[in-house]
Amino acid sequence: MKIFVKMEIKINSKINKSTLIVPVFEQEDLKTKLLDVCKLIGFDQWSYFDDFKGKAKENCLFITSSGEKGYFLGLGKNREQAVIKNTFRSFFYTKKEKLNGTVRVLLSHENLEEFASSISNGIALANYNLGAQKKKEPSKSWFLENAILDFQTDLNNDTLIIEFEKGIALAKTQMKIMEWVDAPSNYKTPRMISDWIKESGKEYGFEVKIFDNNICVDLGLKALVAVGKGSVENPPIFVLMEYSHPEASKTIGLIGKGVTFDTGGVSLKPGDNMNYMKCDMGGAAAVVGAIEMAAKLKLMINIVAAVPLTENCIDSLAIKPGDVIGSYSGKTIEVINTDAEGRLILADALSYVKKNYNPDILIDLATLTGNCIQSLGYAAAALLSNNDDLANAILASGQKTGEKTWRMPLWDDYKDMMKSDVADIKNLSSAPVAGAITAAKFLEEFIDGHTSWAHLDIAGVAFGDSEYSSMKSATGYGVQLLVDFIENNIASNK
Ligand code: BES
Ligand code: MN
Ligand code: ZN
């Protein structure tokens, strides 16, 4: 995708086969606004769009007096990053076959320059296509390869280009992780994912260590190894990543749940929709995406990231309900339900990172509980944290990027529900209530007193219904949230 930013708006330009996009906000006096824009672009038949309101994703076709095809594109009322991003993605996704040659986007009339990265991000994300496993691959991304995007604006500065490029770079990473989350489990075994992470590290400049099952046994990652026993053919792998910046003063630890398929194990899940449990490595994907972006953008931060990768299956050696297993921390765990596997592997990853790196901030992301979806639906991730400043910063990044989070309590009122008679803790609460919270209380036992920890339950937001597919599909949730959080809260705090 080539980007041009032009100083002046060209009127009646004779570029062959071009489409003009005129984004506008929904506003009181829209007609006057449109009239002004019409003058600018050489078009006077404004009465055609009498009923055009400028609502988000609304569009209206017109032909300029020079014969160029154009669309007014509604952006809704508020100047919101997420709405702008989604509107551009949706518009380009639906229209991509019809947009040939140059696409000119007018920016100045609405001062859209501040949203440059959201605009290019939305446009680039429109290239995402399911169907990687089809015999005939989906048509190669038209605009990532061929399009000339001509952003017409009064401003012409390098920062604008940098912002456009950032949006595209983000989209490329997001699409890669979406492809992994959407991939069937037989296309993304722990080994395949670890190979992918190694490649990403090589390409963008972060260190990757891959611990196979034997090393995990030696290291004492007992809970991860226990879950992995359900899958002799595709044993678990623990991947550790490190990105560092010479001027960074803070280290952030990121941990992502990487269950490449969750059958539930011996506590088998019902068959309906079990296919969607390929999404259970959405947390790991977000974490890899975030470290890849930090490296791409050379953010002034140190990151240590860990993703425990495993299937949750039912081989003859699989753990059974009632089993007591060990963990990296030394604590013993009574496995009440083998389907509560995510917290087991996260427990080891959290203790490992805390013990060996003790980062300033510790954040884990996981498609952890169905109860999170019961509580918050598909609009926000559950945020549980023992630190108000950290929680507020994550909430703010969520609002800004549209990858929203909502806080739930982590009070000790819930602690007793995880007490076991036979082990130090059990993996499932004794009452079928507050499942997202009790899962977090379980994790809290493994952070060894870390005082700046946040857990994000992304079960409802990593994978879901959208206008881009008929089945549920990956959203790429987490990458933008984490990058924004890092940029605003750490990278700047020298
Ligand atoms: N991976 C699931 C949680 C999940 C549910 C993710 C829906 C995405 C969409 C997790 O491992 C799980 O199975 N949780 C169970 C635990 C319960 C059986 C103890 C749940 O929440 O139902
Ligand atoms: Mn499960
Ligand atoms: Zn799971």
Side-chain angles (χ1 to χ4, degrees), residues 33-342:
K33 176 84 180 201
L34 293 183
L35 260 174
D36 288 347
V37 178
C38 285
K39 273 188 216 141
L40 203 66
I41 59 182
F43 174 58
D44 53 14
Q45 307 193 27
W46 53 272
S47 60
Y48 285 147
F49 43 78
D50 238 5
D51 55 355
F52 175 73
K53 299 277 184 290
K55 292 193 182 304
K57 298 189 184 172
E58 190 185 1
N59 70 71
C60 171
L61 176 70
F62 62 83
I63 309 287
T64 65
S65 36
S66 63
E68 184 183 23
K69 189 167 75 174
Y71 293 92
F72 284 109
L73 179 59
L75 297 178
K77 263 192 208 130
N78 308 318
R79 300 176 67 86
E80 284 174 80
Q81 217 184 67
V83 174
I84 292 174
K85 184 170 66 192
N86 292 336
T87 297
F88 273 91
R89 177 174 178 194
S90 169
F91 178 81
F92 276 79
Y93 182 82
T94 25
K95 294 275 188 293
K96 65 178 160 187
E97 252 92 72
K98 297 186 182 129
L99 302 172
N100 290 305
T102 304
V103 181
R104 302 197 291 136
V105 189
L106 292 191
L107 298 181
S108 305
H109 64 290
E110 292 282 28
N111 297 319
L112 281 164
E113 289 83 355
E114 61 172 300
F115 296 104
S117 68
S118 303
I119 293 172
S120 62
N121 182 252
I123 295 175
L125 283 175
N127 287 287
Y128 186 68
N129 238 322
L130 290 172
Q133 282 81 39
K134 289 191 186 195
K135 182 174 174 201
K136 188 171 176 292
E137 267 188 58
S139 61
K140 270 287 170 232
S141 330
W142 172 84
F143 27 100
L144 265 189
E145 289 179 2
N146 305 316
I148 298 179
L149 284 171
D150 181 359
F151 290 102
Q152 310 219 326
T153 156
D154 293 337
L155 295 177
N156 182 19
N157 56 47
D158 296 344
T159 354
L160 209 50
I161 300 263
I162 291 171
E163 284 297 303
F164 281 126
E165 278 170 355
K166 180 176 168 192
I168 293 169
L170 251 174
K172 284 187 177 164
T173 291
Q174 285 175 288
M175 289 193 283
K176 195 162 67 172
I177 75 156
M178 284 153 73
E179 219 172 276
W180 278 100
V181 175
D182 281 325
S185 72
N186 57 333
Y187 283 74
K188 59 170 175 200
T189 61
R191 174 59 66 193
M192 292 170 184
I193 295 192
S194 66
D195 287 346
W196 156 54
I197 299 174
K198 210 196 259 170
E199 257 169 53
S200 166
K202 236 187 250 159
E203 186 168 353
Y204 298 105
F206 59 91
E207 218 184 286
V208 180
K209 287 186 202 133
I210 293 176
F211 301 153
D212 64 17
N213 191 51
N214 291 333
I215 305 178
C216 291
V217 171
D218 291 346
L219 289 173
L221 295 165
K222 292 183 181 161
L224 173 61
V225 169
V227 173
K229 277 165 69 181
S231 211
V232 174
E233 304 283 333
N234 293 314
I237 294 181
F238 187 75
V239 182
L240 205 57
M241 294 153 265
E242 278 180 74
Y243 162 76
S244 52
H245 188 288
E247 287 156 59
S249 60
K250 278 196 179 165
T251 301
I252 180 169
L254 295 176
I255 282 139
K257 172 177 173 182
V259 173
T260 60
F261 194 84
D262 184 9
T263 66
V266 172
S267 315
L268 189 64
K269 283 183 184 296
D272 280 357
N273 292 323
M274 204 210 273
N275 53 313
Y276 287 145
M277 279 302 125
K278 65 182 183 180
C279 79
D280 216 13
M281 34 62 77
V287 163
V288 177
I291 195 167
E292 180 178 294
M293 274 316 296
K296 270 192 199 176
L297 299 171
K298 303 210 166 24
L299 297 183
M300 205 186 290
I301 177 85
N302 297 325
I303 300 180
V304 49
V307 294
L309 297 166
T310 182
E311 297 182 335
N312 185 25
C313 284
I314 331 180
D315 236 315
S316 63
L317 296 175
I319 44 168
K320 300 174 214 57
D323 286 359
V324 173
I325 61 172
S327 69
Y328 185 78
S329 72
K331 289 185 182 172
T332 55
I333 305 166
E334 182 188 8
V335 179
I336 300 290
N337 189 315
T338 64
D339 198 10
E341 84 297 344

Side-chain angles (χ1 to χ4, degrees), residues 1-56:
M1 180 150 70
K2 293 193 196 82
I3 298 174
F4 293 99
V5 179
K6 295 231 169 112
M7 278 277 264
E8 287 165 26
I9 296 172
K10 279 192 188 163
I11 301 169
N12 296 344
S13 83
K14 289 263 175 341
I15 307 171
N16 211 8
K17 266 198 170 176
S18 67
T19 309
L20 182 62
I21 314 280
V22 185
V24 281
F25 288 103
E26 183 181 352
Q27 51 203 275
E28 289 271 305
D29 207 3
L30 185 64
K31 213 168 213 175
T32 317
K33 176 84 180 201
L34 293 183
L35 260 174
D36 288 347
V37 178
C38 285
K39 273 188 216 141
L40 203 66
I41 59 182
F43 174 58
D44 53 14
Q45 307 193 27
W46 53 272
S47 60
Y48 285 147
F49 43 78
D50 238 5
D51 55 355
F52 175 73
K53 299 277 184 290
K55 292 193 182 304

